[in-house]
Amino acid sequence: MTKFRLCSFNIENLFTRFDFSAFSDPDAARYLSPIVQFYGDFGDDDLSKFEAFKRMVETAAISQDDDKRQQTALAIAEADAHFYCLQEVEGFDPLSRFLEAYVKKTMGESFHNRVLHEGNDVRGIDVAAISVRKFPFYSRSHAWLTGSVIDDTETGKALLDAYPLAKTRARSLRASRVFRRDCLELELAVGDATLSLFNCHFKSMGGRDAEKSLATRQTEAILVRELITRKFEEPATALWAICGDLNDALDYRFVSSVQQPDGSFNETQKDKPPSGEDSSGIAPLLEDGFGINLVAALPEADRWTHYYAGGRSKTQLDYIIASPALADRVRSTPEIIRAGMPHRVPNLATARYPRIGWDRPKASDHCPVVVEFDI
């Protein structure tokens, strides 16, 4: 048996570019908003003040980003995994710079086994993977797959029939790409076995059309399941896992935190969303025991991986969903690392990394999920 630690982590906007939206839209400013409001509109005769403001915003951004990336590296180090599936990485160059400048200094390991394929996201955020030397891997992008792929088989057609929203969405995407980012397939040798991983970052829950958003995630999930079904004659007995930020909370976990007059927070279980075929965008991956949400081994109150301040809610958005055969090889209780969460997250007694702020800087807006296997 070989001990194998697997981590999935949305490291939140690992960019080398700078967002200059503050200079064209003061309401969109991410840094130094009081200064934006103070200067207001810049006239043509006041370019020096405008340029000075740009330098100030850039300086603040660089300072905050440096702290943030040190904290991201600390979270990666705490995970202490052999293999990491990462989300929200702009490109291979930013990933390499981050690993060399931050992770290597934190861990003494720069993860020379690394991969990123350019995906479909309009913001340029991709999924990536890094591994310690003893676990080299093969990778394959599925960013190019269209909706027509799903109904090429009886299994795909059956899944679409079971999920009407996805069926309609897949039809509209018949000639268009399904994955909003990518489904990065990874195959690696662990001991005498071969482990297949599918690193995904599904469509976000944001936007005005919640039903269309849900339908897109269901279509992505169905396509991932179809890829696995085609790859393995017996998916239940093969060793595979779906990792990533799937951007969908299962209906059994949605907790709201309400601030009390004394400043404390009271957490309550909100009413569960309606159950049924359209209750979750990732239901196709779990239906009929196809995949096992390994985080479900934790108590309900400990499953959350993301805190949404606007709704004061804690939800599980990040997953390692394993085949039944791989789930049987889990060595210990899954871990969710929260030391990089901002201090605004209520009722969290976890000690934070140095210089973690109320809202920022932070390691990420997501928590790393780690599972250890005997393979």
Side-chain angles (χ1 to χ4, degrees), residues 293-298 302 320 330 332-336 369-372:
N293 173 25
L294 299 183
V295 173
L298 297 171
D302 296 333
I320 297 179
V330 172
S332 57
T333 305
E335 304 166 36
I336 299 176
V369 177
V370 186
V371 180
E372 190 169 298

Side-chain angles (χ1 to χ4, degrees), residues 5-66:
R5 286 177 64 84
L6 174 64
C7 175
S8 180
F9 187 18
N10 180 328
I11 58 178
E12 190 187 14
N13 297 335
L14 182 64
F15 294 151
T16 53
R17 62 184 185 267
F18 184 77
D19 182 359
F20 289 98
S21 61
F23 310 135
S24 59
D25 181 4
D27 293 332
R30 294 186 180 184
Y31 305 100
L32 304 180
S33 56
I35 295 178
V36 178
Q37 294 168 5
F38 174 77
Y39 282 124
D41 295 330
F42 295 96
D44 294 338
D45 59 346
D46 206 5
L47 292 178
S48 62
K49 186 182 292 184
F50 176 64
E51 290 299 324
F53 165 68
K54 286 173 63 177
R55 301 289 81 77
M56 292 177 70
V57 174
E58 283 182 303
T59 300
I62 291 168
S63 176
Q64 286 193 2
D65 196 62
D66 181 62

